[in-house]
Amino acid sequence: MRNRFYAPALLLAISLSALTSTTFADEWKSGIKWEEPKVVVPGENGSAPSDAIVLFDGKDLSAWNQGENWIIEDGYAISNKSGIESKQKFGDIQLHLEWASPAEVKGTGQGRGNSGVYFMGRYEVQILDSYKNATYFDGQAASIYKQTPPLVNATRGPGKWQTYDIIFNAPKFDDAGKLAQPGFITVLHNGVVVQNQFQMLGGTFWDQPPHYQKHAAKESISLQFHGNPVRFRNIWVRELKPVVGVLPKEEAKTDAVVNKP
Ligand code: MG
């Protein structure tokens, strides 16, 4: 009978000990005075959050150069004649866009529902109808073109709307033009992580190995026209800036800024 009482007594002792250590421990605080994070009203079902810059809301492509080349109907835009590039330039961003390859399947491999979203005009996340469509893996949908395939193929069938949610961290260059920090990219395709903070090897090219070339801290986003009528809708971006904190003098020799913008 002894064991019947032993176990609860032991549990009580452990609980009391945990409670004691919780009660009398000193709370650790970093001492950093953080700025208050701004309030953002989230969107519903992929719609733009309150602080987003809307690049296409289904009505017009006035936020894009060469936007007049594309066809707008029924709340979406169809790629046509040329690529388009955002008039506004961006560095680190979150991008949301929705795309659909043609419902009628034509062509094979890279010729089937090909488009692409280029960050800073030179780093392409491939858009392709990769639903049961063989091509080179580092050229299929959601690949970083000729740098890495997606982790998995999350492509929906031809004609179906698909989402890309992309976090892009721009590369940085020093004054001499040398790469100081590579670019990084995370991609969710239809809600599935397909690029997990991939370190980019440079610009994405069809006829050259990837390499970096110095460019401005902010550049346009481009959408490719590759001969196929790919549809787009609901395109918005959010500029990403680090939240800033200050470590006050009593904690450090001088005020120290944490997470410099
Ligand atoms: Mg492409």
Side-chain angles (χ1 to χ4, degrees), residues 114-116 118 124 126-127 224 226:
N114 195 332
S115 180
Y118 283 83
E124 184 187 14
Q126 176 70 299
I127 290 174
Q224 186 185 46
H226 199 280

Side-chain angles (χ1 to χ4, degrees), residues 90-95 117-125 144 165-172 182-187 198 200 202 212 215-221 238-240:
F90 302 98
D92 298 346
I93 53 169
Q94 171 187 355
L95 170 75
V117 51
Y118 283 83
F119 293 85
M120 313 195 95
R122 64 201 81 210
Y123 308 106
E124 184 187 14
V125 177
I144 308 304
D165 288 284
I166 301 175
I167 301 160
F168 175 82
N169 287 293
K172 292 177 178 59
F184 289 89
I185 193 157
T186 294
V187 180
F198 176 72
M200 289 184 302
Y212 279 105
H215 54 74
K218 292 189 173 189
E219 295 280 6
S220 297
I221 297 166
R238 296 182 58 251
E239 294 187 293
L240 301 176

Side-chain angles (χ1 to χ4, degrees), residues 8-19:
L10 183 62
L11 275 177
L12 181 67
I14 291 169
S15 306
L16 278 174
S17 144
L19 185 67

Side-chain angles (χ1 to χ4, degrees), residues 202-217:
T204 55
F205 306 95
W206 178 71
D207 57 352
Q208 300 171 53
H211 59 276
Y212 279 105
Q213 290 165 306
K214 190 188 179 193
H215 54 74

